[in-house]
Amino acid sequence: MNTEKFIDTDTLLRLQQSISRFGVVNVITAAFITGALALLLDYVYMLYLRSKMPPGPIPWPIVGNTFLLPDSKPWIYFEKLAKDYNTPLITFWIGRNPTVWICDAWAASELLDKRAGIYSSRPRMIVFGELGSGQSNLVTMYTRTAEERDRFRVHRKLMHQGVGVQQVRRYRKFQNDESKIVAYDLLSSPEDYVMHFERYATSVVSIIGFGRRVSTWRDPIITEVIALMHLAADLNVPGKRFPMLMETFPVLAKFPNKIAPWKHGLGRRGRRRGGSHDFFYSLADEANKTPGHEDAYAKMLFREAPKYNLQPQEISGLAGNLFGAGSDTSSSTLITAVLAMRAFSETLLPAWEELDRVVGTQRSPTFDDEPNLPYVKAFVKEVFRWRSVAIIGGQPHSPTEDDYYNGWLIPKNTWIQGNVWAIHRNERDFPDPDRFNPYRFIKGSADGRPFPGERGYMTFGWGRRVCSGQALAEQGTFITVARLLWGFRFDPALDENGNEIPVDIFNYTNGLNMRPQLFKVKISPRNEEIRRTIELEGKQALEDLAVYEGETQYRLSTFYKA
């Protein structure tokens, strides 16, 4: 008898379902085991790399050390880690990616200056690279291949033609005049010193770039563009919040913009409706089409565009970098200078003595006075050292090949950041580092210490990625700080009860380009003769700068709505 005839249909169905369920369970189990094994192997590799790289906290799988990041000012945390591990370099894992933080001047000089040939590239960056200006901007360009290095050299050359060491000497006349107007404006509204500095710095780069000055701090080009620079600085701080969390988990950048509010790409804000180009390109194009001022940087870019096959987004990047390199950073440095003058009033006495002897009261300082003002020059250097604006040295570097330092491995494509905060506060190089002390930079002074590089500070970065606007910033900061020291007192402001309002030398913003939070100070002319000189020079400077008067039709706040 055939027993199969007696197996009913329900039994067969149940048997098939059991086999099917068993298969699904097997698939799920196999996938889980495979995933767990892959995670384990990945973590083992992370720990292996950690054993070869500079010391630092033990990372967790996938998230690394990201959870340890403070909510603000991570450079202070990294300085502490370097001290705890007693090492010039530390490794901190942002997700699965190790970041090497250099907290020592000599290590920074050895790696980023002396080995610039392999440390001048950028790592993969999501926020400021793939979602930002990418390979069309000098700041974020890779230099990993011959083609990339050639393009980098083109952009670097074009920036040097605008703000290189030799070029900026041509700008001294109007830079000095704009500085005179700062002093003139401080006579009538000293409480608005921040806005006066912002106007000055923005006007200088606007004359260089577009042939027109910024005559009032109410000009939208100041308020809107500097706000954009502040946003960029805030977004660029390593952290565990969006958008920088995308650097930890790059997959988040692949979400469509409509369902991904954390995507804050800055460089590619898009084009205006109707297909015209972006804001900085349009400013440059407008300047190029405006008669006169043939030496404006924008006109040079358009003249050179066919030779170098410059694309519109590249012109935009080069023009926009002028603001990035010269407006927010320069004004922030001047605000720091005033904070130092207010908090360390004893440092003003030697400056006043030197300026009274060399300059007198019938004129203000000029660039020709610089060789005879060693203390003022040292004062300016200490401003750059004491509270550097680009506190983590700008965008990260990345080696194009595996490298070693003190026996530690620095793998190819690793993020390398210079912690300028830690470098400039190292007790070995700068004893009592939070004290503002210009004598650190007086040759032969007992307060001086050896330091790599002739300048004695690392404010502007390193190697081939050093800030393009360094010469312009140093030149402008010298003449403006010298004029402030020559012309004014910086006394404590008083509250309604007549009590001095204190200032906090640590109360700075959290952005990549940090500046002091607003503080109150009483700024007044040193004497009546100096006041009269400031008035005379200010009025003359306004007449001399009239040739640069003009107005742009563009407003950043409405540009992309047009």
Side-chain angles (χ1 to χ4, degrees), residues 379-441:
F379 194 102
V380 172
K381 287 190 171 187
E382 180 70 342
V383 169
F384 285 130
R385 192 283 311 176
W386 183 61
R387 294 289 187 265
S388 297
V389 174
I391 200 60
I392 55 175
Q395 300 285 359
H397 294 236
S398 181
T400 54
E401 59 187 58
D402 288 353
D403 192 32
Y404 288 87
Y405 179 80
N406 282 359
W408 295 316
L409 170 67
I410 301 177
K412 176 182 178 180
N413 297 330
T414 301
W415 281 51
I416 310 289
Q417 292 272 190
N419 188 352
V420 180
W421 172 264
I423 288 170
H424 283 174
R425 298 181 73 257
N426 191 309
E427 293 270 1
R428 175 201 61 212
D429 303 322
F430 303 104
D432 194 8
D434 290 314
R435 178 178 166 231
F436 187 86
N437 177 17
Y439 285 106
R440 303 182 201 275
F441 295 97

Side-chain angles (χ1 to χ4, degrees), residues 229-250:
M229 299 302 169
H230 287 178
L231 173 63
D234 290 342
L235 294 183
N236 206 18
V237 176
K240 54 192 176 186
R241 295 180 294 183
F242 288 113
M244 288 300 282
L245 199 57
M246 286 188 286
E247 304 292 356
T248 306
F249 304 108

Side-chain angles (χ1 to χ4, degrees), residues 210-520:
F210 312 111
R212 83 165 188 100
R213 71 181 299 259
V214 176
S215 59
T216 170
W217 53 263
R218 296 181 181 88
D219 191 314
I221 203 75
I222 299 178
T223 55
E224 295 176 2
V225 172
I226 285 187
L228 178 64
M229 299 302 169
H230 287 178
L231 173 63
D234 290 342
L235 294 183
N236 206 18
V237 176
K240 54 192 176 186
R241 295 180 294 183
F242 288 113
M244 288 300 282
L245 199 57
M246 286 188 286
E247 304 292 356
T248 306
F249 304 108
V251 69
L252 295 172
K254 297 186 180 297
F255 282 66
N257 291 349
K258 291 182 180 179
I259 62 171
W262 56 80
K263 293 171 73 173
H264 292 276
L266 295 174
R268 296 176 185 165
R269 292 193 58 181
R271 297 181 177 185
R272 301 177 76 191
R273 296 171 192 170
S276 60
H277 297 289
D278 73 7
F279 180 70
F280 288 112
Y281 177 88
S282 297
L283 283 181
D285 183 56
E286 177 187 49
N288 184 51
K289 294 173 180 175
T290 301
H293 304 298
E294 296 304 315
D295 56 348
Y297 185 61
K299 293 193 174 186
M300 183 274 291
L301 290 178
F302 278 93
R303 285 196 299 268
E304 298 291 298
K307 176 181 177 181
Y308 296 110
N309 192 29
L310 288 180
Q311 300 302 304
Q313 62 268 31
E314 293 180 290
I315 292 175
S316 172
L318 288 163
N321 285 345
L322 275 180
F323 283 97
S327 57
D328 178 39
T329 50
S330 292
S331 58
S332 296
T333 300
L334 293 174
I335 299 168
T336 281
V338 170
L339 177 61
M341 295 171 192
R342 161 65 183 87
F344 299 90
S345 57
E346 70 279 4
T347 64
L348 301 179
L349 299 177
W352 290 340
E353 185 280 327
E354 184 176 82
L355 287 160
D356 288 345
R357 173 170 43 83
V358 174
V359 178
T361 61
Q362 303 303 306
R363 65 174 180 88
S364 63
T366 68
F367 288 108
D368 292 338
D369 294 316
E370 187 173 358
N372 301 316
L373 297 173
Y375 183 84
V376 172
K377 288 174 63 178
F379 194 102
V380 172
K381 287 190 171 187
E382 180 70 342
V383 169
F384 285 130
R385 192 283 311 176
W386 183 61
R387 294 289 187 265
S388 297
V389 174
I391 200 60
I392 55 175
Q395 300 285 359
H397 294 236
S398 181
T400 54
E401 59 187 58
D402 288 353
D403 192 32
Y404 288 87
Y405 179 80
N406 282 359
W408 295 316
L409 170 67
I410 301 177
K412 176 182 178 180
N413 297 330
T414 301
W415 281 51
I416 310 289
Q417 292 272 190
N419 188 352
V420 180
W421 172 264
I423 288 170
H424 283 174
R425 298 181 73 257
N426 191 309
E427 293 270 1
R428 175 201 61 212
D429 303 322
F430 303 104
D432 194 8
D434 290 314
R435 178 178 166 231
F436 187 86
N437 177 17
Y439 285 106
R440 303 182 201 275
F441 295 97
I442 297 289
K443 195 171 183 179
S445 169
D447 294 327
R449 294 290 187 278
F451 195 84
E454 60 181 16
R455 284 180 166 83
Y457 52 80
M458 293 182 166
T459 306
F460 296 93
W462 303 270
R464 297 171 191 172
R465 293 289 185 170
V466 70
C467 176
S468 301
Q470 176 172 357
L472 181 69
E474 289 175 332
Q475 178 174 286
T477 302
F478 166 76
I479 197 61
T480 305
V481 169
R483 183 164 282 111
L484 292 172
L485 289 169
W486 166 83
F488 297 94
R489 297 180 55 87
F490 299 86
D491 297 313
L494 304 179
D495 62 20
E496 61 275 9
N497 298 316
N499 299 316
E500 292 186 3
I501 300 175
V503 292
D504 183 353
I505 63 172
F506 296 99
N507 189 18
Y508 272 69
T509 60
N510 183 51
L512 173 71
N513 291 336
M514 71 173 195
R515 63 162 55 185
Q517 300 283 7
L518 188 63
F519 60 92
K520 292 189 175 182

Side-chain angles (χ1 to χ4, degrees), residues 89 102 104-114 418 423 458 462:
L89 276 63
I102 305 176
D104 175 89
W106 303 89
S109 178
E110 173 64 32
L111 293 174
L112 304 181
D113 284 330
K114 295 180 181 178
I423 288 170
M458 293 182 166
W462 303 270

Side-chain angles (χ1 to χ4, degrees), residues 1-19:
M1 179 181 288
N2 188 350
T3 57
E4 290 181 1
K5 294 180 180 179
F6 295 95
I7 300 176
D8 59 47
T9 305
D10 288 343
T11 301
L12 283 171
L13 186 59
R14 283 195 296 272
L15 183 60
Q16 289 173 345
Q17 290 174 341
S18 296
I19 294 171

